[in-house]
Amino acid sequence: MRRLMLLIAGLALCLTARADPYHDKVAAAGYVQKTAQVNRIKLSYVEGPDNGPPLVLLHAQLLDWFSYSRVLPALAQSFHVYDIDYPGHGATVTPADYSMSANQIGADLGDFIARQIGKPVYLSGNSSGGLLATWLAANRPQLVKAVVLEDPPLFSSEYPRIQQTIANRAFRTSYTALQDHPDNFLLYWIDGNAQFFKKNVGPGTPLMLTQLVKLYHRMHPGQPAEIGLLRNDTVRMMVRGLDQYDPRFGAAFYDGSWNAGFDHAAALASIDCPVLLMQAHTTTLPDGTLNGAMSEAEAQRAVSLLKHGSLLKVDAGHVINLEQPALFVDTLRGFFLTSSGK
């Protein structure tokens, strides 16, 4: 009975919930949704007004461009922002035989920068977006002036090390989805990762969230699910991102093919531009599983390989720009515009 009452309350809240106010704030700041045909993909991105040097943002895996919404208005005051849905995410469209690998995605992102922006950029990437930023700085150095890596899984996402990380559990869901062919990947992911929602939101969440997503899809066909009942910004953004996510991306991490031909150590050592590595919270579970993007040792190793690298530890979870937006904006402005990144 208590679960039923919670479910009914959640449905009622969903029906009356207002849209995320940052949709209006981002639009008021001058951002416009655009697409660009880049080789075989139709790349979706949001572009801000030309108020400074170009800044390219690459979101975390499972998210999309809107995960940066809390920092977009402020960043627009100092930069010409390009916030990209890279392949496997958001509204970007890829062929069925597209290779979900750092080499393929990195090359297409490089061509986008060269053709659509046409000059070197400042670059910041979160999580898997940070890996792609690393790839670009190493392989397209003429396109990148300086880089901020926001808690990327350097070394820890390489196979077989990835098998010792908590993220691998989510990647397994993507991998099994390719065999099971679910009609709705978001609902499939909620079911396969029920423990995540129980831990991060509360008991009964998987059942309630499943019903809320179904209701949202009926009320807002064709729109990514935004469940206002979820008060945790990162979890809410993840639900939105998962509703548009291509499980081929995560499956490539699970089987090791995403990093094929992309050695993290070699890439870091070859980067010539200034790099700031931001590290969020990280712990190791009693069974040795890494609960975070990088261990302390992996972060130190990454910085030691960089020619012009520095490390900033941040009191925040994995998506720093959501949890500490003011700090994130100040860090990018300070590093790119007033320090070694200039």
Side-chain angles (χ1 to χ4, degrees):
M1 179 62 70
R2 182 173 181 273
R3 177 178 290 182
L4 178 61
M5 292 302 294
L6 284 172
L7 180 58
I8 294 172
L11 292 171
L13 281 171
C14 182
L15 286 168
T16 58
R18 298 177 62 185
D20 191 314
Y22 274 86
H23 285 292
D24 290 339
K25 292 180 181 181
V26 168
Y31 286 90
V32 179
Q33 185 117 28
K34 298 184 177 182
T35 60
Q37 188 68 39
V38 182
N39 304 322
R40 299 175 64 222
I41 66 174
K42 187 175 182 181
L43 197 70
S44 177
Y45 64 102
V46 172
E47 181 179 349
D50 186 358
N51 290 335
L55 167 64
V56 170
L57 299 175
L58 301 173
H59 56 77
Q61 186 172 172
L62 305 182
L63 304 182
D64 74 338
W65 75 268
F66 192 63
S67 63
Y68 282 111
S69 58
R70 276 56 182 163
V71 299
L72 289 178
L75 289 174
Q77 298 172 16
S78 305
F79 300 98
H80 186 174
V81 179
Y82 296 82
D83 184 2
I84 300 174
D85 284 339
Y86 53 78
H89 299 77
T92 288
V93 179
T94 58
D97 62 346
Y98 185 82
S99 174
M100 292 295 176
S101 66
N103 283 342
Q104 179 64 70
I105 298 171
D108 286 331
L109 290 174
D111 287 345
F112 170 83
I113 294 171
R115 298 171 190 173
Q116 297 297 127
I117 301 177
K119 55 185 174 181
V121 303
Y122 293 123
L123 180 60
S124 181
N126 180 207
S127 192
S128 297
L131 296 181
L132 290 168
T134 301
W135 190 98
L136 284 163
N139 293 280
R140 298 291 187 272
Q142 73 279 11
L143 299 177
V144 181
K145 296 170 67 175
V147 183
V148 170
L149 302 177
E150 183 186 353
D151 208 34
L154 291 164
F155 312 121
S156 63
S157 61
E158 292 181 300
Y159 195 87
R161 161 64 167 150
I162 195 170
Q163 296 177 314
Q164 301 170 319
T165 68
I166 199 166
N168 200 51
R169 301 171 187 175
F171 298 144
R172 176 176 170 77
T173 304
S174 295
Y175 184 80
T176 59
L178 298 187
Q179 283 76 54
D180 295 341
H181 304 290
D183 293 333
N184 187 306
F185 178 72
L186 171 56
L187 296 181
Y188 181 86
W189 200 95
I190 292 170
D191 181 66
N193 294 272
Q195 194 59 40
F196 169 86
F197 290 100
K198 290 176 182 177
K199 177 182 177 181
N200 290 278
V201 184
T205 299
L207 174 61
M208 183 187 301
L209 188 55
T210 294
Q211 298 306 315
L212 289 171
V213 168
K214 290 179 178 179
L215 178 60
Y216 191 94
H217 285 160
R218 287 198 295 271
M219 295 176 63
H220 308 280
Q223 297 181 29
E226 293 191 6
I227 309 301
L229 177 65
L230 297 171
R231 298 307 179 191
N232 182 299
D233 281 348
T234 302
V235 174
R236 190 169 65 256
M237 293 291 183
M238 189 173 66
V239 168
R240 172 190 161 94
L242 281 163
D243 207 16
Q244 309 167 85
Y245 181 69
D246 187 337
R248 291 181 297 160
F249 192 95
F253 274 84
Y254 187 76
D255 66 18
S257 59
W258 197 91
N259 283 298
F262 174 46
D263 180 86
H264 295 186
L268 290 165
S270 69
I271 296 174
D272 291 320
C273 70
V275 179
L276 175 64
L277 176 61
M278 302 179 75
Q279 184 182 24
H281 295 157
T282 184
T283 60
T284 300
L285 302 180
D287 65 357
T289 300
L290 175 66
N291 184 18
M294 299 171 285
S295 67
E296 297 285 352
E298 285 165 334
Q300 292 293 339
R301 181 189 177 200
V303 173
S304 72
L305 288 166
L306 292 164
K307 297 184 182 76
H308 309 287
S310 55
L311 175 64
L312 175 64
K313 294 186 178 182
V314 180
D315 183 16
H318 185 47
V319 187
I320 299 169
N321 67 81
L322 267 176
E323 291 196 20
Q324 298 277 7
L327 181 146
F328 182 80
V329 170
D330 289 345
T331 297
L332 264 59
R333 283 176 175 162
F335 184 70
F336 289 146
L337 302 179
T338 63
S339 69
S340 58
K342 189 172 182 179

